[in-house]
Amino acid sequence: MTEQDRAKYRPCVGVMLVNGEGQAFAGKRIDNKEGDRWQMPQGGVDPGEDLDVAMLRELAEETGAKPQHLQILDRLPDELFYDLPADLQGKLWGGRYVGQRQTWYLVRFTGADSDIDLDAHKHPEFCEWKWVAPDLLPEMIVPFKRDIYRAVVEGFRGKL
């Protein structure tokens, strides 16, 4: 893929946040229009921002998790790409991108459930959250992201 092609995809970090039992965090988006869809924390990387810094920032914004409760276990070696469905292209992110290119992390949450605070940021993204078996994640996400979630679950299998 050329740099010009890569520029069509929004740079993003994603996090499989797992607890001590190996269950993964799933959040229900506030703006969920597709019914009962849940996702892992993820978000854009600012220009020039270090990926590790972006990942910790996104976790803090979306889950309220503090760095002292986080242990980075792994990072997938390659970016994962997805395209937005045709009806969303041109509508999200100012119409600048056709999809996202995501760097995925596996992070252990060592705090208590009470340390999760969905309202920690002034613009919360999730209205509910729960711990789930990682293998359930691909069926919980919007259909156009399922292949990404399968790749993430497979990529971190055995490292939980």
Side-chain angles (χ1 to χ4, degrees):
M1 177 174 287
T2 68
E3 279 305 311
Q4 186 175 10
D5 291 335
R6 285 174 45 83
K8 295 178 184 177
Y9 292 85
R10 178 177 179 245
C12 179
V13 290
V15 183
M16 179 184 279
L17 184 67
V18 295
N19 63 15
E21 288 77 47
Q23 294 180 308
F25 176 98
K28 186 174 184 180
R29 289 189 56 93
I30 286 176
D31 62 358
N32 187 340
K33 294 176 176 56
E34 299 242 355
D36 196 30
R37 301 290 184 208
W38 299 71
Q39 73 176 43
M40 292 183 277
Q42 66 171 60
V45 177
D46 295 331
E49 188 176 25
D50 177 81
L51 293 174
D52 290 358
V53 170
M55 179 271 298
L56 291 171
R57 175 183 52 75
E58 284 296 327
L59 272 178
E61 289 175 3
E62 295 186 9
T63 70
K66 300 197 174 8
Q68 65 263 30
H69 297 137
L70 303 172
Q71 176 187 9
I72 300 172
L73 300 177
D74 201 4
R75 181 171 118 180
L76 293 182
D78 299 315
E79 290 179 315
L80 300 176
F81 290 75
Y82 75 82
D83 291 324
L84 289 169
D87 64 316
L88 292 178
Q89 287 187 12
K91 294 179 183 172
L92 298 180
W93 312 305
R96 188 171 165 198
Y97 304 105
V98 299
Q100 290 197 60
R101 53 186 174 91
Q102 301 180 319
T103 300
W104 278 90
Y105 287 82
L106 176 63
V107 177
R108 170 101 48 226
F109 178 70
T110 60
D113 286 0
S114 60
D115 293 318
I116 300 287
D117 179 7
L118 301 182
D119 295 318
H121 191 259
K122 62 183 174 182
H123 302 290
E125 292 198 29
F126 300 128
C127 58
E128 296 177 50
W129 73 276
K130 59 186 174 182
W131 296 113
V132 301
D135 286 335
L136 298 178
L137 291 166
E139 295 309 312
M140 297 173 72
I141 189 68
V142 291
F144 64 90
K145 292 184 183 179
R146 285 192 179 142
D147 287 342
I148 293 282
Y149 273 41
R150 287 183 189 109
V152 169
V153 170
E154 246 344 275
F156 292 139
R157 191 172 303 286
K159 298 176 182 180
L160 305 175

